[in-house]
Amino acid sequence: DDAAAGGGGDAAAGGDDGCASAYARGFDDAKKGRTFNSHAAPDYGPPPPRGYTGGSGFGLASLSKVVSLGFFGKQIYDLGGGPNWTFDACQRNFMAQPPYKQAMSAFLLARVLGFSPF
């Protein structure tokens, strides 16, 4: 029977660290009625960190917010008259827009402020 285990006898006696050693350990476990690898402590690895660590801090959500903020800023800049920007011109031009453009501006503002579900 020891010859079937590669002549190693009891696996705890030592031997090589290769396949013969693993075979001998398995053979010894089976001979003693133990389950597979029952003599070894379970190795589950390090526990995962608790909670979300946040990653790098700049992901697709941040990129989306920056792009929305850029679009909103450009729209306000254009509504206010460009380089000679005034709040009155911005307000007048906003009110002169068709309702669908006003609604799109409102949705863009909601997205920038974080109220939009999209």
Side-chain angles (χ1 to χ4, degrees), residues 54-106:
S56 66
F58 188 79
L60 289 178
S62 298
L63 181 62
S64 174
K65 184 158 281 219
V66 168
V67 169
S68 296
L69 189 59
F71 280 130
F72 185 71
K74 173 73 169 126
Q75 185 178 22
I76 295 298
Y77 178 78
D78 289 343
L79 285 173
N84 301 322
W85 192 90
T86 64
F87 181 76
D88 291 333
C90 181
Q91 188 177 15
R92 276 193 316 273
N93 289 334
F94 179 78
M95 296 310 285
Q97 286 182 333
Y100 78 92
K101 284 191 175 184
Q102 290 177 354
M104 294 302 290
S105 297

